[in-house]
Amino acid sequence: MDYRIPEEIVEEVRLHSDIVDTISDYVRLQRKGKNYLGLCPFHAEKTPSFTVTPEKQIFYCFGCHTGGNVFSFLMKKENWSFLETVENLAEKHGIILPEKELSPREKELQTRRRRWEEIHDWATGYFHEVLLNKPEGEPGRQYFRQRGIDDETIKQFRLGYAPDRWEGLLEALSARKVSPQEVVQAGLALERESSEGRTRGFYDRFRNRVIFAILDSRQRTIGFGGRVLDNSTPKYLNSPETAFFNKGHHLYGMHRAHQGIRERGFALLAEGYMDVIALQKAGFKNAVASLGTALTRDQAKLIRRYTGRVVIVYDADQAGIQATLRAGEIVRDMGFRVDVLSLSGAKDPDEYLKTFGVEEFNKALAQAEPYIQFKYHVLIKTTPPESAPEKAELVRELAPDIVKVQSPVEREGYERFLSLELSLTLDKVQEEIAGFDQKTAQKTAEKEKLRQKQDISVKNRDNINRCANPSSNGVSVSDGAYRAERILLRLLLEQLIPLSELKTHLEAGFWKVPYHQQIFNHIEKAPNLGKGALPNMDDDTLLSKAAQLMLEEIDLANPERLFQDCLKQIHSQKEEETVEELQARMVDLEKSGDLAGAFALLKEIGERLRSGEN
């Protein structure tokens, strides 16, 4: 059952949440006329292009084209869901939200999750307190001092220490009325089998280890990683998989790194907990690590929310190199731009920073090489190619990576790289690689077949595209109609014309630009929207386009006349549209997911064809 807060309550929360006050907690804003300007928190810039408009309660960055309302700002900045954002703002302003109606199964799961989170929070506090203030935490304090970690960093990452005791955590949680069975279910204790006269009992999972709390986007502990301080095994121990924790779905440090990833434009993927702490402490706020396991596709998807580029900086030993190759293959296959940072003179980023400093690390980072070139150097180091067959084998080994490169320029760059490195002609390298490109060719053929089906014998597509507005995302529509649609949406959002009046003029295929149709759909679903406010949208790109629309310079002095002129412009283009133009627009609607609009146009095309119109 999906929990939906009534629209009128969401609007009440929005009205109580002044966008300037909210954003001022994160960005230094300066008033300029009616608006406020500041440096964009979502990308690196030196000249302010981030604009906050209190009159309309929206923000928009003219640099990275990100925009929206107070909800979308907090969702991006804090990595909250829409529901979490509304809940936090409601709590801040004393607005009571309606209780969610739950099924018995949902109630049970919610109760279990809350108890699980509560136990993990108490456990985090226990480990943290032992590390900072208890005599038995001295081994942990000594370890972190040797690693150059100060108390402030310990607090930021909620680091801790599990003392060398069998029941330290169990006793601490027992004082909070937590049963041993609950601690076992949370993965923090184990049950001992009775044997040789010993009775069954329970003991702590983590003992004599420094503890790394794994935090989610809400800064809540979801699991732990522990490192031994002696030669016992295993060296690292993680919380086990439970109904509420899956190592493969989370990244260490992401609770702090998501904003840094957006600002720097890439994620710095390290191998260990201490690497992430050292990197973030040194100013590299975009550093994350997998949780003691090889990188998974789900972890890569988590990174994909914030960037399309990854720089891998794993350990320099043989195991680290192999892990780099595996991780690089995963993110490459998911469409990331992948670079590899190789650090010479140190075994990992933590040691490199201590030995050479931040400036040298930045220089090395600037020299990070593309994944394919890194893989080439690994292969030739293992088996240097000398004969022609060995060179051919090396090209064939790299071919599967190169054929997955979508950019023709980048692909040719790798092919030229191989031709120069191996003293081969470019055409022969390309010919060898082309032999592995059958799958790509097959996919291209399938796409072409689908396109021919969709075209419905459209012969003059090029002529139509020549009149496409450059701002309309390639949708076939004249400048006049494109502008008219934007003005109509602005009139609706500014409440200068009633929604009901426009709806009397709507007909099949009225909106030529698919995302204009989508914005209108959201307006239609929010009849109680405040004047100048943006409706709530799940799509960040769509919300940014709506915010951009609200900041366009439009003379709205005579809204009724403007309304009639826009209708005339849209109807005029529709009357002039040929069957082929309608077919092209139908394809655009299909691609955007507006199947209802595409079907309506298909009906109109059929009627025109039956009447003998071309």
Side-chain angles (χ1 to χ4, degrees):
M1 294 172 61
D2 292 333
Y3 176 45
R4 292 187 63 83
I5 301 173
E7 193 65 38
E8 59 271 18
I9 302 292
V10 173
E11 182 64 8
E12 182 184 357
V13 173
R14 188 190 66 79
L15 290 172
H16 279 81
S17 308
D18 181 74
I19 195 166
V20 175
D21 290 343
T22 301
I23 292 180
S24 292
D25 290 339
Y26 303 87
V27 180
R28 185 178 178 183
L29 297 175
Q30 284 190 314
R31 191 177 188 99
K32 190 162 186 179
K34 292 182 178 180
N35 298 329
Y36 289 82
L37 294 180
L39 295 175
C40 180
F42 303 120
H43 81 289
E45 63 176 9
K46 295 181 179 179
T47 303
S49 61
F50 183 80
T51 303
V52 183
T53 306
E55 182 184 3
K56 296 180 173 61
Q57 288 292 296
I58 61 174
F59 73 92
Y60 186 75
C61 175
F62 290 92
C64 66
H65 307 294
T66 299
N69 56 19
V70 67
F71 297 133
S72 59
F73 178 85
L74 288 174
M75 288 168 70
K76 287 177 177 294
K77 188 66 182 169
E78 295 289 357
N79 197 27
W80 290 337
S81 67
F82 178 74
L83 182 59
E84 289 172 329
T85 304
V86 175
E87 287 174 340
N88 276 279
L89 286 173
E91 183 179 357
K92 180 179 179 181
H93 298 293
I95 298 171
I96 299 175
L97 299 177
E99 289 290 329
K100 176 184 177 183
E101 293 185 13
L102 301 175
S103 68
R105 173 63 177 163
E106 285 176 323
K107 287 179 181 177
E108 180 189 351
L109 282 173
Q110 186 183 75
T111 300
R112 285 175 56 198
R113 174 174 282 281
R114 285 178 177 172
R115 184 61 167 171
W116 182 82
E117 290 177 344
E118 190 175 49
I119 291 170
H120 274 76
D121 185 57
W122 287 335
T124 304
Y126 166 75
F127 293 136
H128 192 61
E129 176 66 16
V130 169
L131 176 64
L132 285 179
N133 300 315
K134 300 295 182 182
E136 56 190 343
E138 180 56 31
R141 290 192 290 272
Q142 184 177 349
Y143 173 81
F144 284 122
R145 278 198 299 267
Q146 291 173 346
R147 301 297 297 264
I149 303 301
D150 55 25
D151 286 356
E152 182 60 31
T153 304
I154 287 173
K155 292 173 182 176
Q156 288 174 348
F157 285 88
R158 302 191 73 182
L159 302 175
Y161 177 70
D164 193 10
R165 295 173 54 197
W166 288 98
E167 299 174 357
L169 178 61
L170 280 163
E171 290 175 1
L173 292 177
S174 177
R176 293 183 177 272
K177 310 299 183 187
V178 182
S179 70
Q181 290 80 5
E182 287 181 298
V183 186
V184 171
Q185 290 168 5
L188 300 176
L190 298 167
E191 187 171 3
R192 184 188 296 115
E193 293 292 335
S194 59
S195 62
E196 299 179 1
R198 295 177 62 183
T199 59
R200 293 181 67 178
F202 303 88
Y203 60 97
D204 292 351
R205 176 181 293 274
F206 297 101
R207 303 178 309 281
N208 191 27
R209 293 174 182 268
V210 288
I211 298 296
F212 300 89
I214 300 164
L215 308 178
D216 65 9
S217 61
R218 301 168 299 164
Q219 309 282 329
R220 294 178 182 173
T221 304
I222 55 175
F224 297 99
R227 185 194 190 282
V228 296
L229 300 181
D230 53 27
N231 295 323
S232 59
T233 57
K235 183 177 180 180
Y236 285 97
L237 180 66
N238 287 317
S239 292
E241 302 284 314
T242 69
F244 305 111
F245 175 64
N246 185 315
K247 293 192 290 289
H249 292 174
H250 301 278
L251 289 163
Y252 185 71
M254 184 58 90
H255 69 287
R256 289 167 51 87
H258 59 87
Q259 184 56 40
I261 292 172
R262 278 203 181 100
E263 291 174 355
R264 296 292 294 269
F266 66 95
L268 199 54
L269 182 61
E271 200 167 355
Y273 301 124
M274 285 303 303
D275 290 328
V276 169
I277 293 172
L279 285 164
Q280 291 199 15
K281 185 172 181 287
F284 300 95
K285 305 297 185 185
N286 54 336
V288 293
S290 54
L291 303 178
T293 60
L295 185 76
T296 68
R297 286 183 62 84
D298 286 322
Q299 290 169 335
K301 288 177 184 176
L302 185 58
I303 297 173
R304 189 72 186 180
R305 295 180 188 176
Y306 312 105
T307 185
R309 183 189 174 203
V310 170
V311 176
I312 303 173
V313 56
Y314 281 0
D315 293 356
D317 58 15
Q318 190 59 36
I321 291 171
Q322 293 305 312
T324 298
L325 292 173
R326 289 193 299 270
E329 185 175 346
I330 287 173
V331 290
R332 177 213 62 193
D333 285 352
M334 294 180 67
F336 283 86
R337 171 188 164 186
V338 192
D339 295 312
V340 178
L341 172 55
S342 301
L343 300 174
S344 58
K347 69 179 190 316
D348 56 37
D350 182 24
E351 184 179 285
Y352 190 92
L353 285 166
K354 287 184 175 65
T355 305
F356 301 104
V358 174
E359 187 175 345
E360 287 301 312
F361 188 92
N362 270 317
K363 289 180 182 177
L365 184 58
Q367 299 300 315
E369 62 180 340
Y371 169 74
I372 292 174
Q373 290 181 207
F374 169 81
K375 186 173 181 178
Y376 166 82
H377 288 125
V378 170
L379 293 174
I380 64 169
K381 187 175 182 181
T382 306
T383 310
E386 296 177 358
S387 65
E390 288 172 343
K391 291 181 180 181
E393 179 60 31
L394 180 57
V395 173
R396 284 194 292 271
E397 192 158 356
L398 290 170
D401 298 285
I402 295 175
V403 297
K404 290 177 181 177
V405 176
Q406 296 186 3
S407 166
V409 174
E410 186 181 352
R411 174 168 171 166
E412 184 175 326
Y414 293 131
E415 291 166 340
R416 287 187 180 278
F417 169 78
L418 288 178
S419 72
L420 292 171
E421 288 285 323
L422 299 173
S423 299
L424 300 170
T425 61
L426 175 61
D427 60 333
K428 292 306 178 186
V429 170
Q430 291 176 327
E431 188 177 334
E432 191 75 46
I433 291 172
F436 286 84
D437 211 1
Q438 293 176 358
K439 288 185 179 179
T440 303
Q442 184 179 353
K443 286 182 181 178
T444 303
E446 289 173 356
K447 285 182 180 178
E448 179 63 19
K449 187 176 179 181
L450 179 62
R451 186 190 69 78
Q452 290 173 356
K453 266 187 178 179
Q454 290 177 325
D455 279 355
I456 320 174
S457 71
V458 176
K459 298 174 184 176
N460 297 317
R461 182 74 55 86
D462 291 340
N463 292 334
I464 297 170
N465 286 338
R466 278 201 289 272
C467 68
N469 186 291
S471 301
S472 62
N473 284 1
V475 177
S476 303
V477 54
S478 71
D479 288 347
Y482 173 80
R483 183 73 172 159
E485 289 185 13
R486 297 181 74 75
I487 292 172
L488 286 177
L489 290 173
R490 181 70 173 273
L491 290 172
L492 286 176
L493 288 167
E494 299 278 9
Q495 295 188 355
L496 295 175
I497 58 168
L499 178 63
S500 57
E501 187 174 351
L502 175 59
K503 288 176 75 171
T504 61
H505 296 274
L506 294 182
E507 53 190 17
F510 179 86
W511 302 100
K512 309 296 188 297
V513 181
Y515 73 78
H516 288 171
Q517 171 77 68
Q518 293 167 349
I519 293 174
F520 173 77
N521 291 344
H522 283 286
I523 296 172
E524 194 174 19
K525 292 175 185 175
N528 300 319
L529 197 65
K531 183 179 185 297
L534 294 179
N536 299 310
M537 307 177 194
D538 296 331
D539 188 327
D540 286 350
T541 302
L542 192 64
L543 193 57
S544 294
K545 288 181 180 297
Q548 181 186 34
L549 185 153
M550 289 296 289
L551 293 177
E552 288 179 358
E553 292 292 334
I554 300 175
D555 184 0
L556 303 173
N558 194 335
E560 185 57 38
R561 180 175 177 180
L562 201 56
F563 175 58
Q564 295 300 329
D565 287 346
C566 289
L567 290 177
K568 287 179 183 176
Q569 178 66 51
I570 291 172
H571 288 138
S572 173
Q573 176 174 330
K574 184 173 181 183
E575 290 171 2
E576 294 173 2
E577 276 186 303
T578 66
V579 169
E580 289 174 347
E581 288 170 332
L582 288 173
Q583 289 171 332
R585 192 149 61 83
M586 184 185 72
V587 173
D588 290 330
L589 290 173
E590 285 177 341
K591 290 177 180 177
S592 72
D594 186 3
L595 299 181
F599 183 70
L601 284 181
L602 182 61
K603 287 176 64 178
E604 183 175 343
I605 291 167
E607 290 171 2
R608 291 199 184 187
L609 291 174
R610 278 194 296 273
S611 67
E613 182 180 332
N614 294 323

